[in-house]
Amino acid sequence: MIELLAALSLTAATFADAEGCTDHPAITRYPGTELTWCTTENFIPFRVPLGPVTGYKRIGEWEDTEGRLTRNFYQYSGTDRTHSEVWKNMSDAVKEAGFEVLGEGLFPESNVKREIGGRSWQGVYFDTNKWKSGGGPVNTLLGGTSTSGGSGAVVAKKERADDTIYVVINVEQHSAESVGVLVDILESKAAETGLVVANAEAMGKDIEELGRTVIEGLMFAHDEAALLTESEPALEQAAQLLRTLSDNSFYVVGHTDATGTYAYNMKLSSDRAYSVREALVERYGIDSDRLVAAGVGPLSPVFTNSSEGGRSKNRRVELVEQ
């Protein structure tokens, strides 16, 4: 959970929130705000804005995703805090939690800025990602008043074991006594096992940047090293990569989760790495001298083994540049 950095000592329990509304576990509210409206949709398309307004009611760059969308609208009443303080607090909290900031902006005047977080930008964002019912956002973020002040936004994402989570925070100084904050959280649906298949071009970029790449889409019999027929598309992409990088040699490295004994996992990871090597050599004609199979068991996880999502990510076979 993101721990907000504000110095205020007020807690969420002090305020009467709308019935059925609660903070999302990924991000808490700005202290002193009231959760006046919320909605959750289990699986919908969602557009994440990545750039400024580039034309009439148009943002030039988006990232399209889908998943479970939670929208919480908070209101701060009082004259001792401004939208800029709320925005800075939320921005710092997102960064402290390890999110990658995709874009952010803060503006003192409304209706004149086209950059990220400006009122024109917010209008395009709200029109693109509409909410299915009214409430606080309609009355403030979309309504505006003669005393409206500045605005701001933070767009960020974070890779988790089971999915990718996106956060879009919009802040508006609605009047001298009121600040509105809309927190949108999109949790993308994790792909079903076996549906994500290796892509030779993407794997090549991984090799260039990281010196290693995961062969996505390999399927093994449970607790065995035998490759299932569903692995053929992934093997074909790996072979295509190896043909492109014909002057390079690689380790084929097997990984497991931490379930079971150390000795068992070391052997299973080694056997699976060997199976992949043999398939690439015998079925796809890759020179055997270019590939060395090895297993490291649970020694190099990419996510925690405390959840099934993490364990599934840790069970993998990689090509590592020699």
Side-chain angles (χ1 to χ4, degrees), residues 62-303:
W62 300 85
E63 183 170 337
D64 291 301
T65 185
E66 56 188 11
R68 178 184 175 89
L69 176 63
T70 300
R71 313 190 84 166
N72 283 347
F73 180 72
Y74 301 88
Q75 289 183 286
Y76 182 83
S77 299
T79 58
D80 56 340
R81 293 293 183 271
T82 65
H83 79 285
S84 60
E85 293 172 277
V86 176
W87 176 90
K88 180 63 165 60
N89 182 282
M90 301 294 279
S91 175
D92 287 348
V94 164
K95 296 167 186 174
E96 283 289 320
F99 278 75
E100 174 191 357
V101 174
L102 306 177
E104 62 179 353
L106 174 69
F107 302 99
E109 300 178 5
S110 62
N111 300 316
V112 297
K113 294 294 185 179
R114 297 156 64 92
E115 301 300 316
I116 292 175
R119 292 292 281 154
S120 297
W121 182 92
Q122 288 184 340
V124 178
Y125 172 75
F126 299 147
D127 188 59
T128 301
N129 296 298
K130 294 182 173 66
W131 38 75
K132 59 183 180 181
S133 60
V138 172
N139 297 331
T140 58
L141 289 175
L142 290 183
T145 70
S146 60
T147 57
S148 291
S151 62
V154 181
V155 183
K157 75 174 182 178
K158 184 177 182 180
E159 300 292 337
R160 301 191 300 187
D162 300 288
D163 64 0
T164 301
I165 182 171
Y166 297 85
V167 175
V168 183
I169 301 170
N170 281 282
V171 179
E172 182 229 9
Q173 185 81 47
H174 189 63
S175 70
E177 298 82 24
S178 177
V179 177
V181 184
L182 179 65
V183 178
D184 289 339
I185 300 171
L186 190 286
E187 298 165 276
S188 63
K189 186 177 187 296
E192 296 179 33
T193 302
L195 296 184
V196 177
V197 178
N199 176 278
E201 181 179 355
M203 295 170 72
K205 291 179 180 177
D206 285 347
I207 293 294
E208 181 179 350
E209 296 177 8
L210 306 174
R212 58 181 172 79
T213 187
V214 178
I215 308 177
E216 301 279 6
L218 293 176
M219 303 286 285
F220 296 93
H222 180 65
D223 280 345
E224 296 181 11
L227 282 162
L228 301 179
T229 56
E230 292 86 344
S231 298
E232 292 303 320
L235 290 169
E236 173 59 43
Q237 290 297 306
Q240 182 177 326
L241 171 70
L242 291 169
R243 295 188 194 105
T244 301
L245 302 177
S246 57
D247 294 334
N248 298 53
S249 296
F250 294 87
Y251 299 107
V252 183
V253 184
H255 299 260
T256 68
D257 59 31
T259 304
T261 67
Y262 174 79
Y264 174 85
N265 284 324
M266 291 298 289
K267 183 178 187 307
L268 179 63
S269 64
S270 179
D271 290 347
R272 286 182 170 179
Y274 186 80
S275 290
V276 173
R277 177 187 180 276
E278 290 303 291
L280 290 170
V281 170
E282 295 176 5
R283 284 185 248 167
Y284 294 93
I286 304 300
D287 187 347
S288 61
D289 291 339
R290 296 178 58 202
L291 302 176
V292 175
V296 295
L299 298 182
S300 184
V302 289
F303 285 101

Side-chain angles (χ1 to χ4, degrees), residues 6-80:
L8 291 177
S9 60
L10 295 173
T11 64
T14 306
F15 300 92
D17 294 338
E19 183 177 358
C21 293
T22 59
D23 292 332
H24 190 282
I27 182 167
T28 59
R29 71 185 69 196
Y30 182 84
T33 55
E34 194 172 41
L35 178 50
T36 60
W37 176 89
C38 67
T39 183
T40 299
E41 298 176 76
N42 284 327
F43 193 75
I44 65 167
F46 187 78
R47 304 201 77 193
V48 181
L50 302 179
V53 173
T54 56
Y56 178 68
K57 292 187 177 181
R58 180 177 183 272
I59 291 175
E61 187 177 1
W62 300 85
E63 183 170 337
D64 291 301
T65 185
E66 56 188 11
R68 178 184 175 89
L69 176 63
T70 300
R71 313 190 84 166
N72 283 347
F73 180 72
Y74 301 88
Q75 289 183 286
Y76 182 83
S77 299
T79 58
D80 56 340

